Structure formats: structure tokens, C-alpha cells
Amino acid sequence: MEAFLHQILSGLAAGGIYASLALALVMIYQSTHHINFAQGEMAMFSTYLAWTFIDAGFSYWIAFVATLGISFLAGILIERIVIRPVERAPVLSVVIVFIALLVIFNSLAGWIYTYTIKSFPSPFSAGLFPQNPYMSPHEMGTIAVTFIVLILLYAFFRFTPLGLAMRAAAQNPVSSRLAGIRVGWMLALGWGLAATIGAVAGMMVAPVVYLDPNMMAGVLLYAFAAALLGGIDNPFGAVLGGFIVGVAENLLGAYVIGTELKLTVALVLIVAVLLFKPSGFFGRVIVTRV
Amino acid sequence: MAALLEVTDLHAGYGPTNVLSGIAFNVEEGGITALLGANGAGKTTTLRAVCGMIRRRGSVTFAGERIDGRATEDIVRLGLAHVPDGRGTFVQLTTEENLRIGALTRRDRKAVAADMDRMYGYFPRLRERGSQQAGTLSGGEQQMLAIARALMLRPKLLVLDEPSFGLAPLVVQDIFRIMRTVNREEKVSILLVEQNARLALELADQALLLETGKVVLGGPAAQIRDDETVRRAYLGY
């Protein structure tokens, strides 16, 4: 029983990370209807940045905040420089750009930091949370961070004028322009936020999977499954999907299929959702009259 | 009266197709100007071109500033609010959020709250629907919402694209009555595109007649209303 509970709880911790990255995917999907395949690699690169700061002797939290700031600006720059020109391009061109970004970040990280695995510290020491046999301090910290991120995002989108402007721009760009909203900038801000959330996910997952240029490949796949499961255009669905995927992956890995096949769970889930309920649990079904 | 909006030699269209071939007209400050014409005459296109929503060429001056080269959001920020055809509702947001979007460019928070109350005064139905998803509102309610959202900008000029489209006669009367109030009491100038010529001519001070991308007639609304030949030939009543 204790082991079972442990599996569920650490599944929730992993799920929090998937939820964060899924949220980053949803954020960009909502306004552009594209899946940013480079989201994981951007998060990985952010994590390397954090590692650089820590390696240079800065404290963890200074490195953390600096990384978030730089990731935010980098996200905006990527949108302005790389994504903007293909705004009206066909879907395939955009997908190619995303894949190019993925490859560029991956090779850049490999070139600068080499492909050898590095360890990445966890900021959560044993004394921070009550001792218990079910979860490690890092797992508890990860869940806490996930919830802080979720609450901040919710408050931002729900209660601030800028958040409202971003929601408006994502939903109806033409009407938003007619209300004086600078839609282009709202898109760029969305990229900045997505990159920031991704950076948080990267820094939370790195102590577990270790830091290397390919560390986000699996995480992105789980996040993608999570977003699809919850409904790719629904942030709440994506978060819930993240936790479900995290727990399911852990339980199946421990009791049913073994750890080697864990990643298959994500793929099976993706295919199953696309086959049986393409809109996910909470996604909007868009009916088009023909 | 001075001209608030001056359009000279405006060309516009979609893709390779030209719809407007050099149209020219003025909208006077403080007045209501109706833009009339048959389907396909270029009424909606004219409004879109003025607001920079489509490719255009020519000169457009609004409140003393050239706006023909500017982006839609910048034109709007100068005080030109456009209620588009189809109403442009943010369907997944609440009625209240829709109204707040209209005032996002404003910084005077207290006045915004007061304006919100004023809008609910004009359209009490919107207050009842405040926390409801705007997509679930009826057509008439969405049209009221669109007008209220535009007014939340505190515009100098309110541009309306067929506000009566698809609505029950009673609702149309309501909306026209409020347009008159807004024009008289808040000194908001109005440029109105309307299929219902009779209704538009009753409301407007000035009227323009558009035919295949050109202004063929313009003048005081009363004059056009009383000219039987024009009415029969162009307006069909």
C-alpha cells in the first residue's frame, strides 16, 4: 500500500511538470493553432542557462529568476524574429520552422555544453517539508512550484487588463484590433510566457532526469499527450491531463509494463485520444457547416 | 460644421479585386451620416478601408490626422470605434469582459467603471447577462453588446456596419433610439452603413449613396428622403 501511494504521489510530481509544459503548448496553440514542437528544447536550453549561472557561483534562486527573465525575453525575440515572418504561411511551413528551432536548440546546447550528462541541483532541501516515506523533498517542491505557477497564471489571465487583452487577442484577433489591442505584441508576450513556464518545467525536471540536450524529448511527449487528453485549447484540461498522464505513467511503469516501455504510454495515449476523442476531455468541438 | 473624417480618392479591395474606385466623402463632426447602397456597392468595404482592415490607397484624414497608412489598432486608438458586420463578439468571454475589452486602451479607471454603468443603463439586458458567456447571447443582445463595447472606447466617431441586420423590428427601434441619444447627448459622431434605407434616412442628417464603388449622390438626408426619383431608383421604396 505504501509503495502504491508512493507511486501515485511521485506520479503527481512528474505530472506537475507535464502540466506546466502542456500549459506552455496550449498557450501558443490557443492563439496560433500550432503546436510548438520546440517548446521542450527551449526549456532544455533555459535549464542550461540556469546551470551556467549556478556553475558561475550564483545562488540557485538568483539563477532561477535570471533564467526566467532571459527565457521570457528570448521567447518574445523568437516570436518576433522567427515566427512572425511565417505568420500567414501554410501549416507545413510553420511546422518546419518549429522543427528547425528544435534542432537548432538541441545542437546549440550540444555544441556549447557537450552531450555529457550533468547533474542539476534541486533547491528543495530535506528540512523544507515534513519528512514522509511517500515523497522526496524535490517531488513535494515540484508540486508546490507547479501550483504556484498555475495560480499566478490564473490570476494574471483572469484579473489583469493585460491578461484580458491576451485572451481577447487569442480568441478574436480582428475584433481585438478594433478594440485597439496590439495583437502582434500579445502573441509575442504569449511566446515569452510559454518560454518562461517551459523554463520552470525544465529546472524542475532536470534534477530527476539529469541535464543533457535530449532531456526534454520524453517530457515533451508526455506534455503533448497531456494537452491532447485535456483538450488542446483548454488550459485547465491541459493541467488535469498533465497530472493524469503523470500518475498513469508511473503506475503502469511500476505494475504493468515496466519502466522501459513507459514512454509508449504517452504515444498510445496520443493515438487513442486522436482516434476516439480528438477534442480531448474539455476541448471545444468546433462544428463547421459545409 | 467641420469634417471629422475626410475621405478622398480612396481605392480598396480584396486580393486582386478592386471594390472601391476612388470614392470621396466627408463625415461631419457631431452629425450622423448614413452610407446607403445596394448589395455589393462597397459599403462594408468602405468602412473596412477607413479602419485599415484591408489593402487601400488614397487619403483618409480623421480628426486632422492622416490615417490611411496606419494600422487598425492605431486608428482605433485615435477615437474611431468600428462595430463590424457580424458583431465581432468575443464568444468565449463573458458579457462584462467584452465590455472591458472595449476600454482596454483607456487609463481612466473610474470613468471606465462609470461608463460601464452607463452602458448597462442604455442596455439593461446586458447587465442581466453580465457574467454569461457572450456567445450564448441572442443576436439582438450581441448587437447591443457590440455597440456598447465600441462606446466603451469613448470614441469621437462611431462606425456601424448594418446594426439592424437580422434583428427583430422592436430591437432595431431600440438600437436606433440609443444611437440618437448617444449622438445628441454624448456628441459622438456616427457613420452608419444600413440596408434599411428608410430607417437610416430618418436617423441621419447626411446621406451618401454608393453604387459599384463610387459615391453617386450625397447631401442632407431629408433632401434624399423627399426625392422620389432617387428613392425609387436607388433605395427601392
Side-chain angles (χ1 to χ4, degrees), chain B residues 58 63 72 81 83 96 98 103 122 126 169 173 227:
Chain B
T72 305
V83 180
E96 199 204 305
N98 267 270
Y122 286 146
L126 294 183
Q173 268 181 30
D227 188 334

Side-chain angles (χ1 to χ4, degrees), chain A residues 135-146:
Chain A
M135 294 174 95
S136 70
H138 181 71
E139 285 173 334
M140 281 185 278
T142 302
I143 292 181
V145 166
T146 305

Side-chain angles (χ1 to χ4, degrees), chain A residues 157-162 164-165 167-169 171-184 233 284, chain B residues 51 53 72-74 76-77 80-82 84 87-93 97 100-102 104-105 109 149 153:
Chain A
F157 282 110
R158 184 76 183 68
F159 299 115
T160 70
L162 188 59
L164 181 62
R167 280 192 292 155
Q171 219 183 85
N172 194 336
V174 177
S175 268
S176 297
R177 283 198 188 92
L178 288 179
I181 297 171
R182 302 195 191 284
V183 172
D233 51 10
R284 261 183 335 131
Chain B
C51 295
M53 295 165 79
T72 305
E73 50 267 43
D74 296 321
V76 170
R77 280 163 186 247
L80 196 160
H82 181 165
R87 296 153 197 155
T89 312
F90 296 90
V91 291
Q92 289 171 63
L93 304 182
E97 284 173 331
R100 271 169 47 207
I101 287 171
L104 272 177
T105 52
R109 284 190 175 198
R149 192 175 62 231
L153 189 81

Side-chain angles (χ1 to χ4, degrees), chain B residues 30-32 83 122-123 143 147 151 158-164 171-194 199-200 203:
Chain B
I32 300 181
V83 180
Y122 286 146
F123 307 105
Q143 187 63 58
I147 294 173
L151 287 173
L158 180 65
V159 172
L160 296 143
D161 198 348
E162 294 211 26
S164 75
V171 179
V172 174
Q173 268 181 30
D174 225 28
I175 287 177
F176 272 64
R177 183 176 49 78
I178 285 157
M179 281 196 283
R180 193 186 300 268
T181 313
V182 166
N183 172 250
R184 289 213 181 128
E185 286 171 18
E186 299 182 26
K187 307 283 173 252
V188 177
S189 315
I190 295 180
L191 172 61
L192 171 72
V193 156
E194 197 37 80
L199 211 60
L203 181 75

